[in-house]
Amino acid sequence: MSTRRKFLQASVLGSAAILTDEKVLAGTGKRKNTIDQPVVVSTWDFGKTANIAAWEILNKKGRAVDAVEAGVRVPEADPDNQTIGYGGMPDRDGYVTLDACIMDEFYNCGSVMALQHIVHPISVARLVMEKTPHIVLAGDGALQFALANGFKKENLLTPESEKAWKEWLKEAKYEPEINIENRLYDKDKDPMPGGPDNHDTIGMLAMDAKGNLGGACTTSGMAFKMHGRVGDSPIIGAGLYVDNEIGAATSSGVGEEVIRIVGSHLVVELMRQGYKPEAACKEAVQRIIKRSPEKSKKIQVGFVALNKKGEYGAYALQKGFSYSVRSNAVEKVFRSKSIY
Ligand code: ASP
């Protein structure tokens, strides 16, 4: 297919919801940009509650980066959410290890990997961004930094997640090769591979009243992962990317597949080439299928994107992926399109 045809195809495949428009001001012949901003977009249904906290900041003309931090702190503190923060599922050895990253409109970014005992890894990531000359702190070093900055050491393993882990241990073969996402996916019991019962991350993207972008991503990662395993979520470019000239993207699903294609950066670069958010997400998902067509049928990966016009969209491998949007015009959970 010619590049031009591909480009046209991408432009035609629009976002699930396009809220931007240019209207001719009556009588003046001038065009007024009617971008629906501010706007916040986040992964999954639970993003809807997180968006409320982000919206409070955006609605008061606050900065996108402040909004996304406040937004994702909501599921981080929720013990009933077993895929993020406090109450997250532990790794194979019973440790809850958290991954998070944040990015602002100036390419500033901060990340923590495999952080234990801290309810709000996103706020530690933000401090890494603002208070250190580094971008990533991992493991004990990240914990040490958090404690030195006033965060409290807590037990993140709730009785519910401990019970699920002990249940898993009964059958678990402690072998690195085990394909955890396949084990978790039982087609008969779970129509949504990679759905809420298995592994979900909150990725949140926002555009503020000034038109600046910010993004945050936080997770407890794949349930029962190997101790020390880090997924896509805290990796700038994989689980999250923000380019204030173009747009932002984030992901959820099997992180290893997202890292391989540097997924969120890919989505943003596709938008730079003219792809609409949904089309860019679809192209990234297709890149995963191209590498491993068979495996891609059994796992979930979904991308969400937001561009500088306030257009947003998503695409996933499997059915069941969703994303939540809040703006002046809309407050809604959308079902993402998918390949399978
Ligand atoms: N992407 C996360 C990870 O691989 C998990 C998820 O979003 O479901 O750790």
PDB file of all heavy atoms in Angstrom, residues 199-201 219 221-222 229 231-233 252-255, ligand 1:
ATOM      1  N   HIS A 199      -5.137  -8.609  35.073  1.00  0.00           N
ATOM      2  CA  HIS A 199      -4.081  -7.603  35.209  1.00  0.00           C
ATOM      3  C   HIS A 199      -4.516  -6.328  34.523  1.00  0.00           C
ATOM      4  O   HIS A 199      -4.785  -6.312  33.333  1.00  0.00           O
ATOM      5  CB  HIS A 199      -2.778  -8.107  34.581  1.00  0.00           C
ATOM      6  CG  HIS A 199      -2.911  -8.541  33.153  1.00  0.00           C
ATOM      7  ND1 HIS A 199      -2.855  -7.663  32.108  1.00  0.00           N
ATOM      8  CD2 HIS A 199      -3.129  -9.746  32.611  1.00  0.00           C
ATOM      9  CE1 HIS A 199      -3.010  -8.316  30.983  1.00  0.00           C
ATOM     10  NE2 HIS A 199      -3.189  -9.587  31.251  1.00  0.00           N
ATOM     11  N   ASP A 200      -4.645  -5.274  35.248  1.00  0.00           N
ATOM     12  CA  ASP A 200      -5.021  -3.995  34.657  1.00  0.00           C
ATOM     13  C   ASP A 200      -4.229  -2.884  35.304  1.00  0.00           C
ATOM     14  O   ASP A 200      -4.000  -2.894  36.498  1.00  0.00           O
ATOM     15  CB  ASP A 200      -6.494  -3.677  34.922  1.00  0.00           C
ATOM     16  CG  ASP A 200      -7.410  -4.667  34.260  1.00  0.00           C
ATOM     17  OD1 ASP A 200      -6.975  -5.321  33.319  1.00  0.00           O
ATOM     18  OD2 ASP A 200      -8.553  -4.776  34.704  1.00  0.00           O
ATOM     19  N   THR A 201      -3.937  -1.919  34.470  1.00  0.00           N
ATOM     20  CA  THR A 201      -3.156  -0.766  34.904  1.00  0.00           C
ATOM     21  C   THR A 201      -4.001   0.468  34.705  1.00  0.00           C
ATOM     22  O   THR A 201      -4.793   0.510  33.773  1.00  0.00           O
ATOM     23  CB  THR A 201      -1.915  -0.670  33.978  1.00  0.00           C
ATOM     24  OG1 THR A 201      -1.087  -1.799  34.241  1.00  0.00           O
ATOM     25  CG2 THR A 201      -1.156   0.611  34.175  1.00  0.00           C
ATOM     26  N   THR A 219       0.680   0.709  38.422  1.00  0.00           N
ATOM     27  CA  THR A 219       0.196  -0.676  38.425  1.00  0.00           C
ATOM     28  C   THR A 219       0.924  -1.520  39.464  1.00  0.00           C
ATOM     29  O   THR A 219       2.035  -1.182  39.877  1.00  0.00           O
ATOM     30  CB  THR A 219       0.439  -1.301  37.025  1.00  0.00           C
ATOM     31  OG1 THR A 219      -0.224  -2.554  36.935  1.00  0.00           O
ATOM     32  CG2 THR A 219       1.906  -1.520  36.751  1.00  0.00           C
ATOM     33  N   GLY A 221       1.308  -4.513  38.357  1.00  0.00           N
ATOM     34  CA  GLY A 221       1.889  -5.402  37.340  1.00  0.00           C
ATOM     35  C   GLY A 221       1.152  -6.715  37.245  1.00  0.00           C
ATOM     36  O   GLY A 221       0.074  -6.903  37.813  1.00  0.00           O
ATOM     37  N   MET A 222       1.724  -7.632  36.518  1.00  0.00           N
ATOM     38  CA  MET A 222       1.093  -8.938  36.323  1.00  0.00           C
ATOM     39  C   MET A 222       1.048  -9.671  37.662  1.00  0.00           C
ATOM     40  O   MET A 222       2.056  -9.760  38.355  1.00  0.00           O
ATOM     41  CB  MET A 222       1.911  -9.781  35.348  1.00  0.00           C
ATOM     42  CG  MET A 222       2.180  -9.100  34.025  1.00  0.00           C
ATOM     43  SD  MET A 222       0.757  -9.076  32.937  1.00  0.00           S
ATOM     44  CE  MET A 222       0.670 -10.784  32.501  1.00  0.00           C
ATOM     45  N   ARG A 229      10.371  -8.614  38.451  1.00  0.00           N
ATOM     46  CA  ARG A 229       9.880  -8.345  37.089  1.00  0.00           C
ATOM     47  C   ARG A 229       9.322  -6.923  36.992  1.00  0.00           C
ATOM     48  O   ARG A 229       8.600  -6.462  37.874  1.00  0.00           O
ATOM     49  CB  ARG A 229       8.792  -9.356  36.735  1.00  0.00           C
ATOM     50  CG  ARG A 229       8.182  -9.171  35.324  1.00  0.00           C
ATOM     51  CD  ARG A 229       6.906  -8.368  35.362  1.00  0.00           C
ATOM     52  NE  ARG A 229       6.215  -8.335  34.076  1.00  0.00           N
ATOM     53  CZ  ARG A 229       5.172  -7.564  33.810  1.00  0.00           C
ATOM     54  NH1 ARG A 229       4.701  -6.757  34.739  1.00  0.00           N
ATOM     55  NH2 ARG A 229       4.588  -7.584  32.645  1.00  0.00           N
ATOM     56  N   GLY A 231       7.245  -4.390  34.304  1.00  0.00           N
ATOM     57  CA  GLY A 231       6.485  -4.394  33.052  1.00  0.00           C
ATOM     58  C   GLY A 231       6.684  -3.110  32.259  1.00  0.00           C
ATOM     59  O   GLY A 231       7.653  -2.377  32.445  1.00  0.00           O
ATOM     60  N   ASP A 232       5.740  -2.852  31.384  1.00  0.00           N
ATOM     61  CA  ASP A 232       5.816  -1.664  30.531  1.00  0.00           C
ATOM     62  C   ASP A 232       5.467  -0.369  31.265  1.00  0.00           C
ATOM     63  O   ASP A 232       5.932   0.718  30.910  1.00  0.00           O
ATOM     64  CB  ASP A 232       4.852  -1.807  29.343  1.00  0.00           C
ATOM     65  CG  ASP A 232       3.409  -2.006  29.799  1.00  0.00           C
ATOM     66  OD1 ASP A 232       3.198  -2.685  30.826  1.00  0.00           O
ATOM     67  OD2 ASP A 232       2.488  -1.478  29.148  1.00  0.00           O
ATOM     68  N   SER A 233       4.633  -0.500  32.307  1.00  0.00           N
ATOM     69  CA  SER A 233       3.988   0.685  32.900  1.00  0.00           C
ATOM     70  C   SER A 233       4.939   1.776  33.391  1.00  0.00           C
ATOM     71  O   SER A 233       4.630   2.960  33.227  1.00  0.00           O
ATOM     72  CB  SER A 233       3.050   0.247  34.023  1.00  0.00           C
ATOM     73  OG  SER A 233       2.184  -0.739  33.541  1.00  0.00           O
ATOM     74  N   SER A 252      -2.273  -0.741  28.589  1.00  0.00           N
ATOM     75  CA  SER A 252      -2.527  -1.729  29.630  1.00  0.00           C
ATOM     76  C   SER A 252      -2.487  -3.091  28.955  1.00  0.00           C
ATOM     77  O   SER A 252      -2.752  -3.212  27.765  1.00  0.00           O
ATOM     78  CB  SER A 252      -3.894  -1.487  30.278  1.00  0.00           C
ATOM     79  OG  SER A 252      -4.088  -2.401  31.325  1.00  0.00           O
ATOM     80  N   GLY A 253      -2.154  -4.106  29.735  1.00  0.00           N
ATOM     81  CA  GLY A 253      -2.068  -5.450  29.163  1.00  0.00           C
ATOM     82  C   GLY A 253      -0.702  -6.053  29.398  1.00  0.00           C
ATOM     83  O   GLY A 253       0.040  -5.589  30.265  1.00  0.00           O
ATOM     84  N   VAL A 254      -0.378  -7.062  28.636  1.00  0.00           N
ATOM     85  CA  VAL A 254       0.871  -7.798  28.865  1.00  0.00           C
ATOM     86  C   VAL A 254       2.066  -6.918  28.486  1.00  0.00           C
ATOM     87  O   VAL A 254       2.367  -6.690  27.311  1.00  0.00           O
ATOM     88  CB  VAL A 254       0.876  -9.114  28.062  1.00  0.00           C
ATOM     89  CG1 VAL A 254       2.202  -9.843  28.244  1.00  0.00           C
ATOM     90  CG2 VAL A 254      -0.283  -9.987  28.527  1.00  0.00           C
ATOM     91  N   GLY A 255       2.735  -6.445  29.525  1.00  0.00           N
ATOM     92  CA  GLY A 255       3.763  -5.421  29.358  1.00  0.00           C
ATOM     93  C   GLY A 255       4.916  -5.822  28.465  1.00  0.00           C
ATOM     94  O   GLY A 255       5.482  -4.982  27.755  1.00  0.00           O
TER      95      GLY A 255
HETATM   96  N1  ASP B   1       0.904  -3.573  31.766  1.00  0.00           N
HETATM   97  C1  ASP B   1       0.968  -4.117  33.100  1.00  0.00           C
HETATM   98  C2  ASP B   1       2.206  -4.932  33.234  1.00  0.00           C
HETATM   99  O1  ASP B   1       2.610  -5.592  32.307  1.00  0.00           O
HETATM  100  C3  ASP B   1      -0.178  -4.936  33.482  1.00  0.00           C
HETATM  101  C4  ASP B   1      -1.515  -4.542  32.931  1.00  0.00           C
HETATM  102  O2  ASP B   1      -1.746  -3.475  32.472  1.00  0.00           O
HETATM  103  O3  ASP B   1      -2.421  -5.333  32.942  1.00  0.00           O
HETATM  104  O4  ASP B   1       2.756  -4.965  34.310  1.00  0.00           O
END
